[in-house]
Amino acid sequence: VFETMRVFLYFMLLATTTAWHSHRLPAAGRLLRRASTTKMGASNSQYSMPDQPARFAKAKADQNQRFLDITSVYDPSYLSGLRVGLTGANRGIGLSLAKELTAQGAKVVAIVRKSSPELDALKPEEVITGIEATSDEACKGLAGKVKGGKLDVLINNAGYFYEPVEMIGDSSLNFSEELKMIDICALGPLRVTSNLFQNGLLVEGCKVAMITSQGGSISWRTTQNPNGGDYGHHMSKAAANMMGVLVAQEFRQHKIPVTILHPGFNKTDMTKKYEKIWEIEGAVDASVGSKRVLHEVGKIDMERTGKFFNCEDGLEIPW
């Protein structure tokens, strides 16, 4: 009986002490727990909102100039004279980035499968063709085609978006297209980045931007895809995000920061299948989107390496 009472009193004392410490030490207890919960739920102001229409509506209600008018904060002066490698520069947001970079005095090194009249009209510093993102051999030959030396910035922008909305229920899954998206969006930038680094074109002090998508956030699927769908797109972007973080980790020792960026909702051929909701969700012309991206590129440093940012509002996106 005595032993039973002793054990009972011991556990009562332990429970009381734990409760007292939880009450007395919020910094070590409740605040830590709250911070962890906030991070998981991404409700902290550190994070962007997952609901795109609500995010846009809030920006208008708050008169958020960072969101609504990027020129109010964008200072492109840092770009002048920089050698900027840019994949997918021949069309879409990539072409808009090339236009903005050129306008700001950057030396564009366009890395593409094939050029376009619009890209050629910009007279880039270099146009490197024949770089198929899915080809190991083509990407292995990339560095040998770069004639002007090391890059100050690399923007991995090339991507691919299969147009149909894939669903299991209507038998619209396309596995070959899913693999193609993963190959282009995740392995493509890894092929390009690794080749340039291995050949001395990415060195300490340069910056790497991985353009992926909010569609790669697993946390946000319950909000943005309540019924599932678009399997290949979301899997490819999640894989691209993972790739970006791993490259950031490996490049830390070389003092090369790598940041993952969601470019925002831009009106391009790639997003045309969502044309009906462009205005509701705050889609912008690609010329505006390019300024948003380059604003965030200018902020890349070792403090931000390996993080995932929304170029619409500058806030983080949870994984």
Side-chain angles (χ1 to χ4, degrees):
V1 174
F2 175 77
E3 182 63 22
T4 302
M5 287 295 294
R6 188 178 71 81
V7 172
F8 174 78
L9 290 172
Y10 170 80
F11 281 108
M12 285 291 290
L13 179 61
L14 181 64
T16 303
T17 303
T18 301
W20 183 82
H21 277 287
S22 178
H23 173 73
R24 294 283 294 174
L25 301 174
R30 293 196 305 275
L31 288 185
L32 180 61
R33 191 177 305 115
R34 188 184 308 153
S36 175
T37 302
T38 299
K39 189 170 184 179
M40 289 292 289
S43 58
N44 192 306
S45 59
Q46 170 187 355
Y47 291 96
S48 190
M49 294 174 62
D51 188 320
Q52 180 93 31
R55 186 195 311 156
F56 181 45
K58 186 176 188 304
K60 290 189 291 184
D62 295 346
Q63 297 184 348
N64 183 338
Q65 291 304 299
R66 163 65 183 79
F67 193 117
L68 301 174
D69 179 15
I70 190 60
T71 61
S72 66
V73 295
Y74 174 52
D75 179 4
S77 60
Y78 79 93
L79 292 166
S80 182
L82 295 185
R83 277 176 57 78
V84 181
L86 175 63
T87 66
N90 58 336
R91 62 190 181 94
I93 186 70
L95 180 61
S96 290
L97 284 166
K99 289 178 178 178
E100 178 62 17
L101 287 165
T102 301
Q104 302 305 331
K107 299 175 181 178
V108 176
V109 180
I111 303 168
V112 294
R113 282 187 303 158
K114 60 181 181 180
S115 191
S116 65
E118 295 86 353
L119 177 59
D120 291 337
L122 299 176
K123 301 187 185 321
E125 183 85 357
E126 301 183 51
V127 179
I128 300 169
T129 59
I131 306 303
E132 170 56 65
T134 61
S135 168
D136 294 348
E137 289 305 311
C139 291
K140 282 179 182 177
L142 169 58
K145 294 183 176 184
V146 178
K147 303 305 180 186
K150 66 186 177 97
L151 301 175
D152 298 298
V153 179
L154 171 64
I155 302 176
N156 280 300
N157 163 76
Y160 173 62
F161 195 177
Y162 179 58
E163 186 170 341
V165 177
E166 297 179 278
M167 298 294 287
I168 295 173
D170 63 6
S171 301
S172 59
L173 295 178
N174 189 320
F175 298 117
S176 63
E177 286 290 333
E178 290 168 11
L179 288 170
K180 181 179 177 181
M181 279 184 272
I182 292 169
D183 200 2
I184 292 174
C185 298
L187 292 176
L190 183 58
R191 291 185 180 101
V192 167
T193 304
S194 61
N195 178 260
L196 294 173
F197 175 80
Q198 289 163 0
N199 288 278
L201 297 178
L202 298 177
V203 300
E204 180 177 338
C206 73
K207 301 177 178 183
V208 178
M210 301 290 188
I211 307 298
T212 67
S213 169
Q214 64 180 358
S217 169
I218 295 173
S219 299
W220 281 9
R221 288 316 94 219
T222 53
T223 299
Q224 296 184 347
N225 291 78
N227 299 312
D230 270 336
Y231 286 87
H233 170 61
H234 295 296
M235 290 189 296
S236 71
K237 296 305 183 181
N241 287 347
M242 177 63 80
M243 176 275 302
V245 172
L246 293 174
V247 173
Q249 289 300 100
E250 183 169 353
F251 280 9
R252 278 182 185 275
Q253 62 184 313
H254 304 291
K255 296 183 172 56
I256 300 173
V258 180
T259 296
I260 299 93
L261 299 176
H262 165 56
F265 197 8
N266 296 288
K267 297 176 181 179
T268 65
D269 289 342
M270 193 174 288
T271 65
K272 196 165 181 63
K273 74 176 186 178
Y274 299 121
E275 186 174 11
K276 291 181 180 179
I277 59 172
W278 273 352
E279 303 309 319
I280 298 171
E281 300 200 355
V284 297
D285 187 83
S287 63
V288 176
S290 65
K291 291 180 175 68
R292 285 174 165 178
V293 169
L294 292 173
H295 176 68
E296 294 303 319
V297 169
K299 296 165 71 175
I300 295 175
D301 59 20
M302 294 307 297
E303 290 295 317
R304 293 164 73 90
T305 196
K307 294 183 178 180
F308 184 19
F309 292 96
N310 185 351
C311 293
E312 290 179 352
D313 54 22
L315 300 175
E316 284 188 64
I317 296 176
W319 303 114

